[in-house]
Structures are given as C-alpha cells and as structure tokens.
Amino acid sequence: MFPTTQRRMGVIGLGLGFGLALSGCAGFGNLGTQPGVTTVTLASVNNPQMQDMAQLLPEFNKLHPEIKINMIFMEENDLRNAATKDVATQGGQYDIMTVGAYEVPIWGQNRWLVDLTDLAAKDPSYDVADFFKPVRDGVSYDGRLYAVPFYGESSFLMYRKDLFQQAGITMPERPTWDQVAEYAAKLKDPSKDRAGICLRAKPGWGEMFAPLTTVVNTFGGQWYNMDWQAQVNSPGFTDAVKFYIKTLDQSGEGDPVSFGFTECLNLFSQDRAAMWYDATSAAGSVEDPKNSRVAGKVGYVRAPVKLTQNSGWLWSWNLGINAKSKHKEAAWEFVKWATSKDYAKLVGSTLGWSRTPPGTRKSTYEIPEYVQAGGDFAPLTAKIMNEVDPTKPGVDPQPWVGIQYVTIPEFQDVGNQTSQLLADVIAGRRTLTAALDEGQKIAQRAGNNQKKG
C-alpha cells in the first residue's frame, strides 16, 4: 500500500523543522533514577484526555511501583515533529508516544513501532475485540496491531442552545454549511467578545486541515483524484477554502491562525463562541462544570454538509511503543493499563464520567454512569462513527482510505506547507489564488511519487 515508504518517510522526517522549543514542552510524572525502578518516557499531545492520564499516574504507581512514567506534553505539531524525528533516526528518546491514526500504519510498515498483536492477545482480560473494529483496523498494518487506541473521535457541530433559543433559531439535526454561516453571522456579538463560530486555522495538517478537509470533501473537492493528480486549485477545493476563510472573516474568532483545538476549546468553554465545529471528543471537556462555563447549555448535531449526505472525520489517538525503546516490557504494562476497560471506569469514578476516553471500547458505552453523563453527545458520537465512510468521504472516489488526511508519507509535509500558505491568505500576506496554485505544485510532487509506485 505504501511503496518505498521507509525511504521517503525518513527523508521527510529529517527534513521537518525540529526546532522544538523547550518552552513548548511540559513534563509531568516521575523524574530521576531510583534503584530497581525503570523510568519510561512518554511523549504526548497535550489534549485534555492525556492530561487526565497524567493526573492518574499515582494509581498506576500503586500497581507498579517498579515503573515510573515521565510524561512530556507537547503541542500537536511539535509532537509530530519530535516523534517522527525520534523514530526516523532510531533515536529511542521516547519509549511510548501518542501516535495518530494517520501515522500508525506507515510507522508499522517501517517497523518503527513494536508489534503489539501477541502482547495484547496474551491477556484475555485486555479483550482486544472490545475495541471498535474501524478504530482497531486503523492502527493495524497487514493485520498486525502496532498501537492501541486511547480515544477515538469523529467531528460534529456544537452550538449554544440558550443563544439559539434567544435568537429564535432552530438548529437542524443535519445542518448545511450555508445555514451554519448564516447562524454564525446572526449570533456573533462583539459587545460580549463572542464569535459566531470557532474554526481551527492554526497551520498544520492536523490542525487547520482536520476540519477544513471535511469541508473540502462535502463541497465536492479532494486532495487527489484516482490518478493521483493533485486537485488543490480545482473548483471544489477552491470553493471550500473560500467559504471557510469568508466565514472566519465575517463571524469567526479574532486572530484565527492562532486557534487550533485547544484554543477553540478554551474559547467555546468560556462563553466566547456561539458554535464550534470540531472533534466529538471535545464534548467531555465542554460538559465538565469544573472547567466549562457552558456545561449543560450545549447542543450537538452532525457535521454540516454541502453536496454530500454525511460529513465528519474519523480519528484516534493511540499509544505506541518505540521499536528502539530499551524498556519495552515496562512500556507495555503502562500502555495496557491506560487502554484497559478498568481505566475507563477509573477516569469516570475519579475525574467525572464525562471525561472518560470515548470512541474506542464498546464496553464504555455499557457503563450506566457514562451513558447518563454522556447525555446527547455520547449516543450521537457512536452513530456518527458508524456513518462516516473513510473509503469515499467526498463526492468523487479516492485512491486511499482516510477522511481528513491522505495516507501517504508525504501528506504531513503537503498539509503543513499548504496550511501555512492559507494562514498567509488569512493574514492578508498572499492571495488565495497564489496560495492554492503553490499548494497544487507541492501536492503534485507527492502525487508524482505515488504514480511511480
């Protein structure tokens, strides 16, 4: 599926900007070396679910006092750069990494991650079959498991029910993007520093292009056609980007290129946006009254559409063990604990049921307390994850499996560079036509590699 992947991925990995600023990392856990104690280093994206994991480390230490976990948090883009460098150069700096669904099959093919298939099957109580099959398949290569899901997600539209009611607007169960733009324009309120909608525009294929690619798909665009011809400056892609930028300009948050998932979560949770289109996994944080001013005021509907019947992405954050780790056995003990059935119950009973990692284990949706706490968003999440089609998410067929990304090694670089070009458009430093024409050239170079095989 990925010819000559290792050579190309290695070149790409070494070519990335690895300027990981120390100020961008945050450590959490057990530092230092103690006799008889194995220290395992975990590089993690700084999402709320992973920060919950850090809070629960003392519970793991009660079971395994001989293992200490040193968690290093990074922004999503920094994590990708640092982890890719580590595995591509076989550095072995990190024992465990949170790895996205895009990277796992590629890294698995390259043998950069430990094959977990036999380890996971060895303990019947771990129950691998309990993971949702689409999510489990997404972290496998050639039928072997190279990471285990920590949480899975699709995307949906979150909206403030109280503000919609005050404005006399009824949100449809399946809104169109034209309706959403209209509602955002009506509900923005500069006097209260409230945006009509928050949309990610921070550069990065996993930041800006996670939601934007779903908009491209439903507007009839795509990254490549079946012949691997790039389509970045084609009408469908162009129309979607124009719409996205116009909506941000008219009704979005200020300084949008500074907003990724974390920033939009903070904005929406602090009553400063009427709508937010993003990951279904955000709902647990949005509904946490300890950290959210809008808990209990939010409604959830399917991802907006234009030309397709359904939209929304499919993604999972997973725990993988570096093939060059010197502490594989200790690393697996932690990975198994953090992705077990009991961990879901531990999070719910300790931190609150709405914060239970969603979208990975079927058994989570059989926990009465979680179902009750999940309210509207839990059952909707399960429905959406069954409706999305990663084989054909847009209008036209595509030669890869994936919704908000293209499963080729070069896409990380293609998406990052193109998103930076669009950030320049948003900032007024470049025209949209010039940006998309340049993005087309960048994407075509990667497409040509696929044509060569």
Side-chain angles (χ1 to χ4, degrees):
M1 184 175 178
F2 308 119
T4 64
T5 297
Q6 185 161 11
R7 175 176 57 80
R8 299 210 310 270
M9 194 70 183
V11 171
I12 292 166
L14 292 171
L16 290 170
F18 297 131
L20 181 62
L22 291 176
S23 60
C25 303
F28 194 104
N30 311 92
L31 301 174
T33 302
Q34 303 173 36
V37 174
T38 299
T39 298
V40 172
T41 300
L42 193 168
S44 177
V45 66
N46 61 347
N47 288 351
Q49 290 83 356
M50 280 64 176
Q51 297 188 23
D52 286 346
M53 182 200 296
Q55 287 192 51
L56 295 172
L57 283 179
E59 298 299 321
F60 174 75
N61 288 140
K62 290 178 184 176
L63 300 173
H64 295 280
E66 78 284 4
I67 302 173
K68 303 300 180 186
I69 304 298
N70 174 30
M71 288 190 72
I72 299 175
F73 286 114
M74 306 179 203
E75 294 286 341
E76 185 171 331
N77 291 340
D78 292 336
L79 173 70
R80 285 206 162 90
N81 287 345
T84 303
K85 175 188 177 184
D86 194 36
V87 295
T89 60
Q90 302 187 12
Q93 180 179 358
Y94 309 119
D95 300 292
I96 305 171
M97 295 164 287
T98 54
V99 191
Y102 159 70
E103 289 94 350
V104 172
I106 301 173
W107 291 12
Q109 183 191 19
N110 290 344
R111 303 294 186 263
W112 289 345
L113 296 174
V114 173
D115 182 345
L116 301 176
T117 312
D118 296 337
L119 286 169
K122 193 174 181 180
D123 183 353
S125 68
Y126 187 64
D127 194 3
V128 177
D130 186 47
F131 289 111
F132 288 118
K133 187 175 184 303
V135 180
R136 192 172 72 237
D137 289 347
V139 294
S140 301
Y141 173 74
D142 200 20
R144 307 293 292 182
L145 197 66
Y146 283 93
V148 285
F150 182 68
Y151 75 83
E153 64 186 29
S154 184
S155 56
F156 56 19
L157 182 69
M158 296 163 269
Y159 70 99
R160 288 282 302 280
K161 293 186 291 187
D162 54 333
L163 299 180
F164 271 67
Q165 185 175 18
Q166 292 168 18
I169 303 172
T170 300
M171 174 66 83
E173 291 183 7
R174 296 176 182 268
T176 67
W177 271 114
D178 291 331
Q179 289 174 317
V180 169
E182 177 187 339
Y183 301 157
K186 288 181 179 177
L187 293 173
K188 68 179 180 181
D189 190 345
S191 68
K192 296 182 179 177
D193 195 22
R194 182 186 294 141
I197 188 169
C198 196
L199 295 169
R200 301 190 202 180
K202 179 184 283 188
W205 76 264
E207 287 283 11
M208 178 195 295
F209 268 119
L212 179 51
T213 298
T214 69
V215 180
V216 169
N217 290 336
T218 194
F219 269 66
Q222 56 185 170
W223 282 96
Y224 297 96
N225 66 15
M226 291 297 289
D227 297 321
W228 288 106
Q229 283 295 127
Q231 302 292 304
V232 175
N233 59 0
S234 66
F237 203 113
T238 301
D239 292 346
V241 175
K242 277 184 181 176
F243 171 85
Y244 198 84
I245 293 176
K246 182 180 179 182
T247 302
L248 275 170
D249 182 55
Q250 293 183 340
S251 311
E253 68 275 14
D255 190 24
V257 296
S258 299
F259 280 71
F261 172 84
T262 303
E263 293 79 11
C264 276
L265 171 61
N266 290 335
L267 194 81
F268 188 72
S269 298
Q270 297 309 309
D271 188 19
R272 292 180 55 204
M275 290 182 284
W276 179 25
Y277 171 59
D278 214 296
T280 54
S281 59
S285 298
V286 167
E287 296 294 350
D288 180 2
K290 295 178 183 176
N291 300 304
S292 172
R293 295 176 59 188
V294 301
K297 299 178 180 179
V298 180
Y300 304 88
V301 292
R302 287 172 172 79
V305 295
K306 179 75 171 180
L307 301 177
T308 58
Q309 184 175 0
N310 296 309
S311 187
W313 67 64
L314 185 62
W315 181 253
S316 62
W317 278 110
N318 315 281
L319 295 180
I321 299 175
N322 192 334
K324 294 300 177 182
S325 168
K326 296 178 180 176
H327 310 297
K328 295 184 180 69
E329 185 176 343
W332 169 246
E333 287 300 325
F334 178 77
V335 168
K336 185 171 68 171
W337 172 80
T339 58
S340 66
K341 294 179 182 178
D342 287 342
Y343 179 81
K345 296 175 183 176
L346 176 64
V347 174
S349 60
T350 305
L351 304 177
W353 289 101
S354 65
R355 289 163 66 172
T356 303
T360 57
R361 285 189 172 275
K362 291 177 280 188
S363 58
T364 299
Y365 294 85
E366 297 170 356
I367 302 172
E369 294 91 341
Y370 177 72
V371 173
Q372 182 177 3
D376 295 336
F377 72 82
L380 181 60
T381 297
K383 289 180 183 176
I384 293 173
M385 293 187 72
N386 284 323
E387 290 175 355
V388 295
D389 182 2
T391 65
K392 189 187 174 188
V395 173
D396 297 318
Q398 63 184 36
W400 72 93
V401 177
I403 295 178
Q404 73 276 26
Y405 53 84
V406 183
T407 321
I408 59 175
E410 296 90 342
F411 182 70
Q412 185 173 185
D413 202 33
V414 171
N416 287 344
Q417 289 194 50
T418 307
S419 66
Q420 186 59 61
L421 292 167
L422 295 184
D424 287 347
V425 176
I426 294 170
R429 295 190 292 266
R430 190 187 298 263
T431 67
L432 178 59
T433 299
L436 293 180
D437 286 347
E438 183 62 25
Q440 171 76 12
K441 294 177 185 175
I442 295 168
Q444 191 55 63
R445 286 196 287 272
N448 291 341
N449 287 336
Q450 296 303 307
K451 291 181 180 182
K452 295 174 185 174

